[in-house]
Structures are given as structure tokens and as C-alpha cells.
Amino acid sequence: MLFSGKKFRRVRCENLDEMLSATQANEDIVRVLKSKAPIVMFTIKDEKTIRMDLDIEGKHMTHSFNFGEEHEMERKDGEKVKITYTREGENILNQVIKMPDGKIAYFRREIKGNEIKMIIRMKGSDLTAAIYYEVIE
């Protein structure tokens, strides 16, 4: 996968505020999505495993996931979310996050060359938002 090991920084958003307001998204998701230019890197470890590194607001987080398996992660507030990553072909990553309050967020990352377009949907809404990232390394 050509994007594996490259760092990407958010450069712009479309319809994000509208979608988050309309869906009353969980405050943890809102904080991450609206933070100042997070840097993300996905590294494919093998056919089944991906590692995500996220630098956000001066903090570094690393998580490894097996494709197609639901994983539990603990948030800063101690609540647990369930996350599942799948991939389509070589350059599309899908992520589903199930919140403790029952809300579900869907993220589709389409990687093309040095850019990522992340499309976000929340269960129960027809609204979508897009966040664009560009490679920095």
C-alpha cells in the first residue's frame, strides 16, 4: 500500500460543523475532528494488521488493529469505544466506531497518491462531511 508509513496532516474540511451539529456527535469525536491539524500515519504491518499513529494536540497515540476484527479502546474519560477497520483494495480504509452512548460513526478514507479524503457519516443521518489530508513526509 503506497500510503503505508507516510504522515498526513489535515488541510481542510467540508460540511463538518453542520454534520456534527445535526447528529449531536459524541464530544470525543467532535474534539478529535475539530482539533488543530492532527497528523495521522497508517502502517500496514502484514496482511491482517494495521497500526495507526495519531499526533493530536501535543499527544501521541498508537493503536494496532486486525482488519475485520472489532477492538475495544479506552477513551481519556475511561469509557470504551469499539472500533473495526476493514480495507477495500489497496487504497481504501473503512473504520466503524461504536460509542458507549449507542452512536455509530463511519469513516471512509480514500487514499490517492499524496492525499487522503476521509468521508464521515453518523448512523441515523443522511449528512456527510469530508476531511482532506496531504502528505507531510
Side-chain angles (χ1 to χ4, degrees):
M1 298 190 149
L2 298 175
F3 64 89
S4 181
K6 292 181 180 178
K7 290 184 179 182
F8 292 85
R9 180 186 313 265
R10 183 179 64 206
V11 292
R12 74 182 199 283
C13 304
E14 293 175 355
N15 203 32
L16 184 60
D17 289 333
E18 295 86 348
M19 188 208 62
L20 293 174
S21 293
T23 60
Q24 299 175 347
N26 176 285
E27 71 178 55
D28 208 43
I29 290 282
V30 172
R31 183 187 54 78
V32 169
L33 292 175
K34 294 182 101 180
S35 70
K36 294 182 180 176
I39 296 172
V40 66
M41 178 173 70
F42 291 97
T43 305
I44 303 298
K45 304 305 277 178
D46 56 44
E47 285 297 311
K48 291 190 239 174
T49 310
I50 187 169
R51 185 180 82 210
M52 177 189 71
D53 290 277
L54 182 63
D55 291 315
I56 186 167
E57 298 175 343
K59 296 179 183 166
H60 182 84
M61 297 182 293
T62 299
H63 300 284
S64 291
F65 302 93
N66 290 332
F67 289 115
E69 292 180 17
E70 187 173 76
H71 297 273
E72 197 169 75
M73 279 180 37
E74 189 171 323
R75 298 186 319 201
K76 290 188 320 180
D77 63 5
E79 292 283 346
K80 296 185 191 284
V81 296
K82 295 181 180 184
I83 300 174
T84 305
Y85 277 95
T86 57
R87 71 180 184 189
E88 293 178 36
E90 291 295 310
N91 291 312
I92 295 177
L93 291 176
N94 293 307
Q95 176 186 23
V96 177
I97 301 177
K98 296 177 182 176
M99 310 317 158
D101 63 6
K103 292 186 174 149
I104 300 174
Y106 302 94
F107 299 82
R108 179 181 176 87
R109 293 171 176 90
E110 300 172 352
I111 301 105
K112 294 179 184 171
N114 289 330
E115 297 178 343
I116 297 176
K117 177 182 180 182
M118 183 170 71
I119 301 162
I120 306 162
R121 292 184 307 109
M122 296 292 289
K123 183 177 181 179
S125 174
D126 291 335
L127 294 174
T128 62
I131 298 177
Y132 297 87
Y133 295 80
E134 290 181 353
V135 73
I136 58 171
E137 287 183 18

